[in-house]
């Protein structure tokens, strides 16, 4: 699976603080904190392992934007923000100190006060332990719930009503397992309409967190 370069103000500020260290290599993340790579400081910007250059003016723009993540497209950093004609809402990826959250018309879809989306997800999963069999996640979002449930379940079916959200998840580094784990089945549909199509007793547990 293609892994795009995605950063936020957190990584941009790390790079900017090393701006004076021209010619030196610094460790920084290009996937919102999941891993670190070596980046070379140059006079015009930061040289990526791919040979692309993140210009200082672009990094300053990202540094001043705390509610959006950015993806590298060519030589530009673009906000991960999309408008859905289906729901007439704006969807975006918002950074936190750990896993990012999904913004829907400016509202975070995870608890982020005194916690992070990944910890928030663990608390939801703990509420249905022990996890076994076939799990249903009625509201996929960024897929954190499905990913965590799949660590112990035989299968996880996760449903998302908004195609734009699936597109954002495909960009989010923290959602990668949603697309590569064979135990996870993604469906784009309205859960309330789709659920009657399943046979009785299909699922061992259901997580409903819209």
């Amino acid at each position: 699976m293609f892994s795009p370069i995605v950063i936020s103000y957190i990584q941009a500020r790390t790079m900017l603080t090393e701006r004076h260290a021209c010619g030196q290599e610094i460790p920084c993340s290009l996937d919102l904190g999941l891993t670190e790579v070596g980046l070379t400081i140059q006079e015009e910007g930061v040289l990526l392992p791919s040979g692309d250059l993140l210009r200082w003016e672009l990094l300053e723009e990202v540094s001043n934007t705390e509610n959006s993540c950015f993806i590298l497209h060519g030589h530009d950093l673009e906000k991960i923000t999309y408008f859905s004609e289906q729901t007439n809402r704006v969807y975006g990826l918002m950074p936190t100190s750990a896993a990012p959250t999904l913004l829907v018309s400016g509202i975070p879809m995870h608890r982020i006060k005194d916690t992070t989306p990944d910890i928030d997800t663990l608390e939801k999963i703990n509420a249905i332990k022990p996890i076994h069999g076939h799990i249903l996640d009625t509201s996929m979002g960024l897929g954190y719930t499905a990913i965590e449930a799949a660590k112990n379940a035989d299968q996880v079916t996760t449903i998302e009503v908004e195609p734009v959200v699936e597109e954002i998840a495909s960009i989010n580094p923290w959602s990668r397992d949603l697309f590569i784990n064979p135990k996870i089945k993604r469906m784009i549909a309205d859960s309330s309409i789709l659920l009657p199509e399943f046979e009785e007793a299909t699922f061992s547990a259901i997580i409903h967190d819209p």
Side-chain angles (χ1 to χ4, degrees), residues 11-35:
Q11 291 77 42
R13 290 176 185 176
T14 296
M15 298 179 205
L16 287 165
T17 58
E18 301 294 338
R19 187 170 183 170
H20 64 282
C22 191
Q24 297 185 26
E25 186 174 279
I26 64 165
C28 193
S29 179
L30 299 177
D31 55 10
L32 298 178
L34 283 174
T35 63

PDB file of all heavy atoms in Angstrom, residues 11-35:
ATOM      1  N   GLN A  11       5.394  18.105  13.549  1.00  0.00           N
ATOM      2  CA  GLN A  11       6.603  17.763  12.808  1.00  0.00           C
ATOM      3  C   GLN A  11       7.228  19.002  12.160  1.00  0.00           C
ATOM      4  O   GLN A  11       8.450  19.134  12.098  1.00  0.00           O
ATOM      5  CB  GLN A  11       6.294  16.712  11.732  1.00  0.00           C
ATOM      6  CG  GLN A  11       5.939  15.345  12.281  1.00  0.00           C
ATOM      7  CD  GLN A  11       4.522  15.263  12.824  1.00  0.00           C
ATOM      8  OE1 GLN A  11       3.594  15.794  12.211  1.00  0.00           O
ATOM      9  NE2 GLN A  11       4.347  14.602  13.960  1.00  0.00           N
ATOM     10  N   ALA A  12       6.388  19.922  11.690  1.00  0.00           N
ATOM     11  CA  ALA A  12       6.912  21.134  11.062  1.00  0.00           C
ATOM     12  C   ALA A  12       7.739  21.954  12.052  1.00  0.00           C
ATOM     13  O   ALA A  12       8.805  22.475  11.716  1.00  0.00           O
ATOM     14  CB  ALA A  12       5.760  21.976  10.513  1.00  0.00           C
ATOM     15  N   ARG A  13       7.265  22.050  13.282  1.00  0.00           N
ATOM     16  CA  ARG A  13       7.996  22.821  14.289  1.00  0.00           C
ATOM     17  C   ARG A  13       9.308  22.145  14.663  1.00  0.00           C
ATOM     18  O   ARG A  13      10.303  22.815  14.944  1.00  0.00           O
ATOM     19  CB  ARG A  13       7.117  23.037  15.517  1.00  0.00           C
ATOM     20  CG  ARG A  13       5.964  23.992  15.250  1.00  0.00           C
ATOM     21  CD  ARG A  13       5.030  24.148  16.439  1.00  0.00           C
ATOM     22  NE  ARG A  13       3.882  24.980  16.085  1.00  0.00           N
ATOM     23  CZ  ARG A  13       2.858  25.232  16.897  1.00  0.00           C
ATOM     24  NH1 ARG A  13       2.834  24.710  18.125  1.00  0.00           N
ATOM     25  NH2 ARG A  13       1.851  26.001  16.489  1.00  0.00           N
ATOM     26  N   THR A  14       9.315  20.809  14.647  1.00  0.00           N
ATOM     27  CA  THR A  14      10.564  20.091  14.896  1.00  0.00           C
ATOM     28  C   THR A  14      11.604  20.454  13.840  1.00  0.00           C
ATOM     29  O   THR A  14      12.775  20.706  14.146  1.00  0.00           O
ATOM     30  CB  THR A  14      10.319  18.572  14.881  1.00  0.00           C
ATOM     31  OG1 THR A  14       9.455  18.224  15.959  1.00  0.00           O
ATOM     32  CG2 THR A  14      11.626  17.804  15.031  1.00  0.00           C
ATOM     33  N   MET A  15      11.173  20.480  12.588  1.00  0.00           N
ATOM     34  CA  MET A  15      12.091  20.825  11.505  1.00  0.00           C
ATOM     35  C   MET A  15      12.546  22.282  11.601  1.00  0.00           C
ATOM     36  O   MET A  15      13.726  22.591  11.416  1.00  0.00           O
ATOM     37  CB  MET A  15      11.418  20.567  10.155  1.00  0.00           C
ATOM     38  CG  MET A  15      11.026  19.115   9.910  1.00  0.00           C
ATOM     39  SD  MET A  15      10.208  18.909   8.294  1.00  0.00           S
ATOM     40  CE  MET A  15       9.245  17.421   8.586  1.00  0.00           C
ATOM     41  N   LEU A  16      11.617  23.169  11.894  1.00  0.00           N
ATOM     42  CA  LEU A  16      11.942  24.596  11.936  1.00  0.00           C
ATOM     43  C   LEU A  16      12.924  24.931  13.054  1.00  0.00           C
ATOM     44  O   LEU A  16      13.755  25.836  12.903  1.00  0.00           O
ATOM     45  CB  LEU A  16      10.665  25.420  12.086  1.00  0.00           C
ATOM     46  CG  LEU A  16       9.784  25.500  10.825  1.00  0.00           C
ATOM     47  CD1 LEU A  16       8.398  26.014  11.171  1.00  0.00           C
ATOM     48  CD2 LEU A  16      10.431  26.390   9.766  1.00  0.00           C
ATOM     49  N   THR A  17      12.836  24.209  14.162  1.00  0.00           N
ATOM     50  CA  THR A  17      13.766  24.482  15.259  1.00  0.00           C
ATOM     51  C   THR A  17      15.199  24.107  14.898  1.00  0.00           C
ATOM     52  O   THR A  17      16.144  24.574  15.542  1.00  0.00           O
ATOM     53  CB  THR A  17      13.365  23.716  16.540  1.00  0.00           C
ATOM     54  OG1 THR A  17      13.318  22.312  16.257  1.00  0.00           O
ATOM     55  CG2 THR A  17      12.008  24.185  17.054  1.00  0.00           C
ATOM     56  N   GLU A  18      15.370  23.279  13.862  1.00  0.00           N
ATOM     57  CA  GLU A  18      16.710  22.861  13.427  1.00  0.00           C
ATOM     58  C   GLU A  18      17.157  23.601  12.168  1.00  0.00           C
ATOM     59  O   GLU A  18      18.126  23.219  11.522  1.00  0.00           O
ATOM     60  CB  GLU A  18      16.717  21.345  13.161  1.00  0.00           C
ATOM     61  CG  GLU A  18      16.336  20.494  14.358  1.00  0.00           C
ATOM     62  CD  GLU A  18      17.357  20.577  15.483  1.00  0.00           C
ATOM     63  OE1 GLU A  18      18.524  20.934  15.210  1.00  0.00           O
ATOM     64  OE2 GLU A  18      16.991  20.288  16.633  1.00  0.00           O
ATOM     65  N   ARG A  19      16.473  24.660  11.850  1.00  0.00           N
ATOM     66  CA  ARG A  19      16.740  25.388  10.609  1.00  0.00           C
ATOM     67  C   ARG A  19      18.192  25.880  10.522  1.00  0.00           C
ATOM     68  O   ARG A  19      18.768  25.983   9.429  1.00  0.00           O
ATOM     69  CB  ARG A  19      15.775  26.565  10.490  1.00  0.00           C
ATOM     70  CG  ARG A  19      15.839  27.311   9.169  1.00  0.00           C
ATOM     71  CD  ARG A  19      14.696  28.294   9.060  1.00  0.00           C
ATOM     72  NE  ARG A  19      14.690  28.969   7.771  1.00  0.00           N
ATOM     73  CZ  ARG A  19      13.696  29.739   7.336  1.00  0.00           C
ATOM     74  NH1 ARG A  19      12.619  29.918   8.088  1.00  0.00           N
ATOM     75  NH2 ARG A  19      13.771  30.330   6.150  1.00  0.00           N
ATOM     76  N   HIS A  20      18.777  26.185  11.658  1.00  0.00           N
ATOM     77  CA  HIS A  20      20.148  26.709  11.694  1.00  0.00           C
ATOM     78  C   HIS A  20      21.201  25.638  11.394  1.00  0.00           C
ATOM     79  O   HIS A  20      22.344  25.957  11.081  1.00  0.00           O
ATOM     80  CB  HIS A  20      20.435  27.288  13.083  1.00  0.00           C
ATOM     81  CG  HIS A  20      20.400  26.247  14.168  1.00  0.00           C
ATOM     82  ND1 HIS A  20      19.213  25.762  14.686  1.00  0.00           N
ATOM     83  CD2 HIS A  20      21.402  25.575  14.807  1.00  0.00           C
ATOM     84  CE1 HIS A  20      19.486  24.855  15.604  1.00  0.00           C
ATOM     85  NE2 HIS A  20      20.800  24.721  15.695  1.00  0.00           N
ATOM     86  N   ALA A  21      20.811  24.355  11.492  1.00  0.00           N
ATOM     87  CA  ALA A  21      21.777  23.252  11.392  1.00  0.00           C
ATOM     88  C   ALA A  21      21.976  22.817   9.946  1.00  0.00           C
ATOM     89  O   ALA A  21      21.812  21.646   9.595  1.00  0.00           O
ATOM     90  CB  ALA A  21      21.313  22.087  12.251  1.00  0.00           C
ATOM     91  N   CYS A  22      22.321  23.739   9.079  1.00  0.00           N
ATOM     92  CA  CYS A  22      22.456  23.454   7.654  1.00  0.00           C
ATOM     93  C   CYS A  22      23.513  22.365   7.417  1.00  0.00           C
ATOM     94  O   CYS A  22      24.617  22.417   7.965  1.00  0.00           O
ATOM     95  CB  CYS A  22      22.827  24.733   6.920  1.00  0.00           C
ATOM     96  SG  CYS A  22      22.703  24.589   5.134  1.00  0.00           S
ATOM     97  N   GLY A  23      23.135  21.370   6.614  1.00  0.00           N
ATOM     98  CA  GLY A  23      24.034  20.274   6.288  1.00  0.00           C
ATOM     99  C   GLY A  23      23.949  19.099   7.229  1.00  0.00           C
ATOM    100  O   GLY A  23      24.497  18.036   6.937  1.00  0.00           O
ATOM    101  N   GLN A  24      23.251  19.260   8.344  1.00  0.00           N
ATOM    102  CA  GLN A  24      23.146  18.179   9.317  1.00  0.00           C
ATOM    103  C   GLN A  24      21.874  17.360   9.099  1.00  0.00           C
ATOM    104  O   GLN A  24      20.911  17.827   8.494  1.00  0.00           O
ATOM    105  CB  GLN A  24      23.176  18.741  10.738  1.00  0.00           C
ATOM    106  CG  GLN A  24      24.470  19.441  11.103  1.00  0.00           C
ATOM    107  CD  GLN A  24      24.493  19.878  12.547  1.00  0.00           C
ATOM    108  OE1 GLN A  24      23.816  19.296  13.399  1.00  0.00           O
ATOM    109  NE2 GLN A  24      25.282  20.905  12.846  1.00  0.00           N
ATOM    110  N   GLU A  25      21.887  16.140   9.611  1.00  0.00           N
ATOM    111  CA  GLU A  25      20.727  15.256   9.535  1.00  0.00           C
ATOM    112  C   GLU A  25      20.004  15.246  10.875  1.00  0.00           C
ATOM    113  O   GLU A  25      20.640  15.148  11.929  1.00  0.00           O
ATOM    114  CB  GLU A  25      21.148  13.843   9.155  1.00  0.00           C
ATOM    115  CG  GLU A  25      19.966  12.899   8.925  1.00  0.00           C
ATOM    116  CD  GLU A  25      20.392  11.542   8.413  1.00  0.00           C
ATOM    117  OE1 GLU A  25      20.639  11.417   7.197  1.00  0.00           O
ATOM    118  OE2 GLU A  25      20.478  10.610   9.238  1.00  0.00           O
ATOM    119  N   ILE A  26      18.681  15.362  10.825  1.00  0.00           N
ATOM    120  CA  ILE A  26      17.884  15.350  12.052  1.00  0.00           C
ATOM    121  C   ILE A  26      16.837  14.242  11.959  1.00  0.00           C
ATOM    122  O   ILE A  26      16.384  13.894  10.867  1.00  0.00           O
ATOM    123  CB  ILE A  26      17.175  16.704  12.289  1.00  0.00           C
ATOM    124  CG1 ILE A  26      16.153  16.984  11.174  1.00  0.00           C
ATOM    125  CG2 ILE A  26      18.192  17.833  12.407  1.00  0.00           C
ATOM    126  CD1 ILE A  26      15.169  18.075  11.488  1.00  0.00           C
ATOM    127  N   PRO A  27      16.444  13.661  13.112  1.00  0.00           N
ATOM    128  CA  PRO A  27      15.355  12.675  13.087  1.00  0.00           C
ATOM    129  C   PRO A  27      14.006  13.380  13.143  1.00  0.00           C
ATOM    130  O   PRO A  27      13.818  14.332  13.898  1.00  0.00           O
ATOM    131  CB  PRO A  27      15.609  11.867  14.362  1.00  0.00           C
ATOM    132  CG  PRO A  27      16.263  12.846  15.297  1.00  0.00           C
ATOM    133  CD  PRO A  27      17.067  13.777  14.440  1.00  0.00           C
ATOM    134  N   CYS A  28      13.085  12.931  12.315  1.00  0.00           N
ATOM    135  CA  CYS A  28      11.735  13.500  12.332  1.00  0.00           C
ATOM    136  C   CYS A  28      10.774  12.497  11.718  1.00  0.00           C
ATOM    137  O   CYS A  28      11.180  11.584  10.992  1.00  0.00           O
ATOM    138  CB  CYS A  28      11.697  14.822  11.557  1.00  0.00           C
ATOM    139  SG  CYS A  28      10.180  15.779  11.834  1.00  0.00           S
ATOM    140  N   SER A  29       9.497  12.660  11.996  1.00  0.00           N
ATOM    141  CA  SER A  29       8.475  11.753  11.479  1.00  0.00           C
ATOM    142  C   SER A  29       7.817  12.324  10.236  1.00  0.00           C
ATOM    143  O   SER A  29       7.541  13.520  10.147  1.00  0.00           O
ATOM    144  CB  SER A  29       7.403  11.490  12.547  1.00  0.00           C
ATOM    145  OG  SER A  29       6.398  10.637  12.027  1.00  0.00           O
ATOM    146  N   LEU A  30       7.556  11.448   9.272  1.00  0.00           N
ATOM    147  CA  LEU A  30       6.812  11.819   8.069  1.00  0.00           C
ATOM    148  C   LEU A  30       5.485  11.073   8.002  1.00  0.00           C
ATOM    149  O   LEU A  30       4.832  11.030   6.953  1.00  0.00           O
ATOM    150  CB  LEU A  30       7.648  11.518   6.820  1.00  0.00           C
ATOM    151  CG  LEU A  30       8.980  12.276   6.719  1.00  0.00           C
ATOM    152  CD1 LEU A  30       9.743  11.833   5.466  1.00  0.00           C
ATOM    153  CD2 LEU A  30       8.764  13.788   6.702  1.00  0.00           C
ATOM    154  N   ASP A  31       5.081  10.469   9.144  1.00  0.00           N
ATOM    155  CA  ASP A  31       3.806   9.744   9.195  1.00  0.00           C
ATOM    156  C   ASP A  31       3.087  10.008  10.516  1.00  0.00           C
ATOM    157  O   ASP A  31       2.539   9.101  11.146  1.00  0.00           O
ATOM    158  CB  ASP A  31       4.010   8.243   8.971  1.00  0.00           C
ATOM    159  CG  ASP A  31       5.020   7.619   9.937  1.00  0.00           C
ATOM    160  OD1 ASP A  31       5.429   8.308  10.907  1.00  0.00           O
ATOM    161  OD2 ASP A  31       5.390   6.452   9.740  1.00  0.00           O
ATOM    162  N   LEU A  32       3.101  11.287  10.931  1.00  0.00           N
ATOM    163  CA  LEU A  32       2.366  11.727  12.128  1.00  0.00           C
ATOM    164  C   LEU A  32       2.801  10.998  13.392  1.00  0.00           C
ATOM    165  O   LEU A  32       1.985  10.646  14.233  1.00  0.00           O
ATOM    166  CB  LEU A  32       0.854  11.582  11.922  1.00  0.00           C
ATOM    167  CG  LEU A  32       0.258  12.416  10.782  1.00  0.00           C
ATOM    168  CD1 LEU A  32      -1.246  12.153  10.658  1.00  0.00           C
ATOM    169  CD2 LEU A  32       0.506  13.901  10.993  1.00  0.00           C
ATOM    170  N   GLY A  33       4.102  10.765  13.512  1.00  0.00           N
ATOM    171  CA  GLY A  33       4.640  10.251  14.758  1.00  0.00           C
ATOM    172  C   GLY A  33       4.772   8.756  14.871  1.00  0.00           C
ATOM    173  O   GLY A  33       5.264   8.255  15.886  1.00  0.00           O
ATOM    174  N   LEU A  34       4.390   8.008  13.858  1.00  0.00           N
ATOM    175  CA  LEU A  34       4.492   6.549  13.944  1.00  0.00           C
ATOM    176  C   LEU A  34       5.933   6.072  13.849  1.00  0.00           C
ATOM    177  O   LEU A  34       6.344   5.159  14.562  1.00  0.00           O
ATOM    178  CB  LEU A  34       3.651   5.900  12.835  1.00  0.00           C
ATOM    179  CG  LEU A  34       2.141   5.867  13.054  1.00  0.00           C
ATOM    180  CD1 LEU A  34       1.445   5.325  11.814  1.00  0.00           C
ATOM    181  CD2 LEU A  34       1.784   5.030  14.270  1.00  0.00           C
ATOM    182  N   THR A  35       6.701   6.679  12.949  1.00  0.00           N
ATOM    183  CA  THR A  35       8.107   6.305  12.773  1.00  0.00           C
ATOM    184  C   THR A  35       8.937   7.575  12.591  1.00  0.00           C
ATOM    185  O   THR A  35       8.389   8.666  12.406  1.00  0.00           O
ATOM    186  CB  THR A  35       8.300   5.403  11.537  1.00  0.00           C
ATOM    187  OG1 THR A  35       7.928   6.137  10.359  1.00  0.00           O
ATOM    188  CG2 THR A  35       7.462   4.146  11.645  1.00  0.00           C
TER     189      THR A  35
END
